[in-house]
C-alpha cells in the first residue's frame, strides 16, 4: 500500500508542458488540515476567475455612472467631482465608487486626465497572539482617484481636462472607455 501511495504522489507531481499556466484550487477531503495559505489560495482562485471573466467578456471601462464635472473649491481654486458609479479596470478588477468624490486641481498645466484605479486598504487591526505584532483582519476593496498629465494604462480615464484662460474644462471630444451594460 505504501508503494502504491508513493506512485500516486509521484504521478500527481509530474507536470505536463504548460501545466503551470492554469489556475490552482484547493481539493478538499475528510481529514485534510487547512492553513492560512489554503484559505488564501481559495480566495485567489475565485478572484482570478472573476478578473479573467471581466477581462475576456467585458473589457475595461465605465459600466455605469462616474460622471465628471469641474467646479470651484471652497478654499479657492478648482476641483474635479466624480459621481458614484462602477467600472472595470484593465486587469478585470471591479471598481465601485459609492458616493460623490472630489479632488483638487492644480492651478497650472495644459492637459490632465482624471484617472480612477482599483486599490486595497488593510483594515481592522487586531493582535495575532501575545507574542505577535498586530495584524489587519480585513482587506477593503476601494479606489484611488487622481489627476495625471498622461493617461495611465493601469487605470480608467474618466475625463480629459483642458486648461483655458477661464480655468479647467472637460474636453467633450475625449472618448470615454465605456462598457455597455446588458440591461440597456
Amino acid at each position: 500500500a505504501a508503494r502504491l501511495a508513493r506512485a500516486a504522489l509521484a504521478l500527481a507531481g509530474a507536470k505536463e508542458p504548460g501545466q503551470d499556466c492554469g489556475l490552482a484550487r484547493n481539493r478538499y477531503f475528510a481529514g485534510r488540515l487547512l492553513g492560512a495559505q489554503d484559505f488564501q489560495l481559495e480566495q485567489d482562485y475565485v478572484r482570478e476567475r472573476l478578473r479573467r471573466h471581466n477581462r475576456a467578456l467585458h473589457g475595461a471601462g465605465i459600466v455605469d455612472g462616474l460622471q465628471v464635472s469641474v467646479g470651484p473649491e471652497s478654499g479657492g481654486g478648482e476641483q474635479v467631482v466624480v459621481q458614484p458609479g462602477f467600472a472595470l479596470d484593465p486587469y478585470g478588477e471591479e471598481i465601485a465608487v459609492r458616493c460623490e468624490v472630489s479632488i483638487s486641481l492644480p492651478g497650472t498645466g495644459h492637459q490632465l486626465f482624471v484617472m480612477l484605479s482599483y486599490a486595497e486598504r488593510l483594515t481592522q487591526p487586531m493582535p495575532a497572539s501575545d507574542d505577535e505584532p498586530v495584524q489587519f483582519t480585513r482587506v477593503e476593496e476601494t479606489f484611488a482617484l487622481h489627476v495625471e498629465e498622461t493617461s495611465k494604462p493601469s487605470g480608467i480615464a474618466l475625463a480629459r481636462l483642458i486648461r483655458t484662460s477661464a480655468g479647467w474644462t472637460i474636453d467633450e471630444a475625449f472618448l470615454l472607455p465605456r462598457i455597455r451594460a446588458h440591461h440597456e
Side-chain angles (χ1 to χ4, degrees):
R3 191 173 83 190
L4 185 59
R6 281 193 303 274
L9 287 173
L11 282 174
K15 301 216 180 212
E16 296 292 321
Q19 198 172 10
D20 286 337
C21 296
L23 287 175
R25 68 176 188 262
N26 283 308
R27 181 177 171 274
Y28 299 106
F29 53 87
R32 177 166 177 211
L33 181 62
L34 298 173
Q37 69 187 36
D38 297 306
F39 292 109
Q40 186 63 53
L41 175 66
E42 188 72 14
Q43 286 215 349
D44 292 345
Y45 171 76
V46 172
R47 292 188 71 226
E48 182 51 35
R49 282 187 53 116
L50 178 60
R51 286 191 295 259
R52 182 175 62 185
H53 168 92
N54 287 341
R55 284 190 311 266
L57 295 180
H58 306 296
I62 300 166
V63 176
D64 187 45
L66 301 173
Q67 294 85 3
V68 175
S69 61
V70 175
E73 210 168 21
S74 61
E78 291 179 293
Q79 67 179 351
V80 65
V81 179
V82 176
Q83 297 302 311
F86 187 77
L88 297 176
D89 81 0
Y91 305 109
E93 292 286 4
E94 298 177 350
I95 306 171
V97 177
R98 301 168 115 204
C99 59
E100 180 180 284
V101 292
S102 63
I103 187 169
S104 297
L105 291 170
T108 61
H110 302 302
Q111 173 180 284
L112 291 173
F113 290 88
V114 179
M115 299 297 300
L116 180 70
S117 57
Y118 173 83
E120 293 182 346
R121 185 174 64 122
L122 298 174
T123 64
Q124 297 192 13
M126 165 177 267
S129 70
D130 292 338
D131 300 333
E132 296 293 320
V134 170
Q135 295 287 332
F136 292 92
T137 62
R138 304 285 187 271
V139 178
E140 178 185 14
E141 294 183 348
T142 186
F143 62 90
L145 181 67
H146 40 99
V147 291
E148 302 281 344
E149 291 181 358
T150 59
S151 179
K152 305 284 187 203
S154 59
I156 302 295
L158 300 179
R160 181 169 54 200
L161 306 178
I162 305 294
R163 185 148 175 86
T164 67
S165 59
W168 290 104
T169 61
I170 296 173
D171 182 357
E172 299 297 335
F174 179 69
L175 295 176
L176 294 173
R178 293 213 177 267
I179 297 173
R180 195 176 143 225
H182 292 290
H183 59 75
E184 292 179 354

